[in-house]
Amino acid sequence: MNGSNEGENAPSQLIDAKIEELSDSRGETLAWVRMLIKEADHEVVEEWKWRGVPVWSHGGIICTGETYKSVVKLTFAKGASLEDPSGLFNSSLEGNTRRAIDIHEGDRIDEQALKALIRAAVTLNLSVRATGRSQKKAKSA
């Protein structure tokens, strides 16, 4: 699914261009992660933020896909609130909110565990939104 901007510079096209531009293991990794995100959540919205960062959202940001010299970093916006039984989070572990997965060339990530983490992030986003709406209704009543 494309983000809110349609047309020549739609987020999905910008992400396609980023993957092609990388043309190395980082591009392959970003493409692979993107595919898994879309498989895990068919309603995911692709966005392009902060001057070149792919973002996947559903009810709020699920994760970002930053690329650095030797790593693709998947940063989960509310990662500290997610269960991670497979221990995928290996970066940004000290913060109170975010958690990240650094994927280096040759790393093998458990696809099912990553999809479960993505679905958990969506569930958390949607539950937070629902709680916020319930509180607003209660205040206005």
Side-chain angles (χ1 to χ4, degrees):
M1 210 177 201
N2 288 341
S4 56
N5 300 338
E6 295 298 327
E8 168 177 332
N9 290 323
S12 62
Q13 291 174 326
L14 292 167
I15 296 170
D16 289 341
K18 176 83 169 185
I19 290 168
E20 192 173 318
E21 169 193 315
L22 290 167
S23 71
D24 60 12
S25 67
R26 295 171 303 154
E28 294 168 12
T29 299
L30 190 59
W32 173 73
V33 165
R34 179 190 202 192
M35 177 195 69
L36 293 177
I37 292 168
K38 289 178 170 186
E39 287 177 4
D41 179 17
H42 298 293
E43 295 180 38
V44 71
V45 175
E46 293 190 316
E47 299 176 286
W48 187 256
K49 296 186 179 218
W50 308 295
R51 298 181 189 187
V53 177
V55 177
W56 291 276
S57 298
H58 184 163
I61 294 175
I62 299 168
C63 64
T64 62
E66 302 129 285
T67 53
Y68 296 99
K69 189 173 183 176
S70 63
V71 70
V72 172
K73 180 184 282 287
L74 277 186
T75 303
F76 283 73
K78 297 176 185 153
S81 298
L82 298 174
E83 295 289 324
D84 181 23
S86 297
L88 294 180
F89 290 132
N90 61 11
S91 182
S92 306
L93 301 175
E94 64 286 333
N96 293 331
T97 307
R98 292 185 294 273
R99 292 286 182 274
I101 304 168
D102 285 354
I103 307 170
H104 297 87
E105 184 174 3
D107 284 355
R108 290 286 142 236
I109 303 292
D110 181 331
E111 291 185 10
Q112 295 309 313
L114 182 56
K115 287 180 181 182
L117 206 52
I118 292 159
R119 286 190 286 270
V122 171
T123 299
L124 178 61
N125 284 349
L126 296 177
S127 71
V128 167
R129 287 182 81 188
T131 301
R133 281 196 297 268
S134 298
Q135 289 173 347
K136 283 181 184 176
K137 285 181 182 178
K139 285 181 182 178
S140 64

